[in-house]
Amino acid sequence: MFDLLFSPAFLAAITVVGLVLASIGLLGRRIDGHPLCRRCGFDLIGKPQSSSACSECGADLGRPRAVRIGHRQRHSRLLWIASAWLLIAFCADGLHIWQAFWSVHWIEHAPQWWLVREVHSRDAKARDQAITEAARRDAKGTLSHAREALLVQEAMAHQHDWGYPWNAAWGDIVETAHTCGRVSDAEWEQYLLDAVTVRLTCEPLERQCDQIYIDIERGPDRGGSGPHPPWPIGLHLNLYCTDQRVGQHTERIWFGKDTHTGEWAYTLDDNLTGVSVLDSVRAGQTIDLLAPGWEVQKDMALGRQTLTAKFFLRAVRNDKVIPEPANRDVDLAASWTMILPPKVSYDPRYREGVEKSMGECKVQFYKNDAGAVLVFLSFHKPPIDLGWGVCLRCREAATGRIVESGPYDLFFGKGADTGEQDVFAILFERDPIRNVGRLDHHFAEVTLRPSLSASPKTGVAEIWGGEIAIKNVKFLPDHN
């Protein structure tokens, strides 16, 4: 309906009607039959019959249509109505003209010198529009080579500075120039290396009872709008962590994987641990080769905490380091808020209610994998929140040796019927340290110990601190 009322045809009709009403209103209505001089409007009543000229202006009254009949009075109401119609029409027409004016992308018609000027504008919107238009013209081949070369150098400088907000149009200009052979191999390799960014990520909330896991992700590529160009053969970008710090405490405990041996390394000193950033790790994906966990201090203060880490990016071609400026240091940070863990209640009055709410504990072994064990637990409306660390004790069939696995975290909410939850216990026979053999499928004991880390980080104020040992478990048929 709105589109119909403000359509060009409807507005044109309003304008025509308004003009017609204004014309009628200005013409007015005849109020007498006096003869009037058409030139000056002088009332000719009482003019001598012998006179043929207007006594006011001297006009020849003998000419055709020299005399008109009657005074006229304007229609004021009609003029007000016509004014309202015309005002609506003119406002709507003005709106259409304004929309049409701003719908034109004037930047597309700007001269090249103006584009280069706007690229350096302090206005971020104008700057982005200018560089986007420059990239469009470059792709069409209408941007001069001199100005393209200037923009390529500026793009490379901005790309290397991670603090500069990146626009993919900068990358499009470099990639277009490379496609046309106007970028050297050294510049192209530098562009590919600088296109890769990394960042630290962690959970926003952590408790003093938790282990903080900080991931290293490959950030958004500082390249063009298309997919990341393929890496030249033999070119890699290795990432090294050289220092970590939380507040004033320096920590050097990181896990990493050595790029040469592929084995996990645990470093407590200044030895660098590297990771290769390849096409297989895309923007937004976790680099699963470095720093899977950091042990939080038990006395870390509540509130906002920030881990800062210094990384060293090193370009390597065929196992040889590429000299500067391919290598660079970057400082990254990850922040989280430390909160209190839930309280632990040791009130003995809860034990009876907890034990009554507990369902039957079931254990299931695997036929083809003797070391895999499933533990099933259920609670029906417990009187208090339960955060359990589930520990499983099994017996080696050949020697009768008791082995224990766990704890595995499970949480059951207060007053909730959470249904049956399961724990997949450790693969005993695959443990290279304990070298556990085949298990006795008729022996299992489960111990439930309170675990602060099992509870959700918010919404739980208190968990029960008691321990439950389950010796009589139900054995389910072996899983295929």
Side-chain angles (χ1 to χ4, degrees), residues 382-401:
I384 188 173
D385 288 322
L386 302 175
W388 294 122
V390 182
C391 297
L392 175 66
R393 299 178 74 240
C394 295
R395 184 170 58 197
E396 195 173 7
T399 64
R401 181 166 62 101

Side-chain angles (χ1 to χ4, degrees), residues 357 378-386 411-419:
S357 67
S378 63
F379 284 84
H380 177 69
K381 296 182 179 181
I384 188 173
D385 288 322
L386 302 175
F411 177 77
F412 298 87
K414 175 183 177 181
D417 191 356
T418 55

Side-chain angles (χ1 to χ4, degrees), residues 308-340:
T308 57
K310 183 179 291 293
F311 288 88
F312 181 61
L313 290 168
R314 184 177 69 178
V316 178
R317 184 192 292 112
N318 298 327
D319 295 330
K320 294 183 179 180
V321 178
I322 300 176
E324 298 287 352
N327 304 328
R328 64 186 187 274
D329 292 330
V330 291
D331 294 319
L332 303 179
S335 298
W336 65 93
T337 301
M338 291 295 297
I339 59 176
L340 286 172

Side-chain angles (χ1 to χ4, degrees), residues 337-353:
T337 301
M338 291 295 297
I339 59 176
L340 286 172
K343 296 180 180 179
V344 180
S345 173
Y346 296 95
D347 191 338
R349 293 175 295 180
Y350 283 121
R351 176 173 291 276
E352 183 179 357

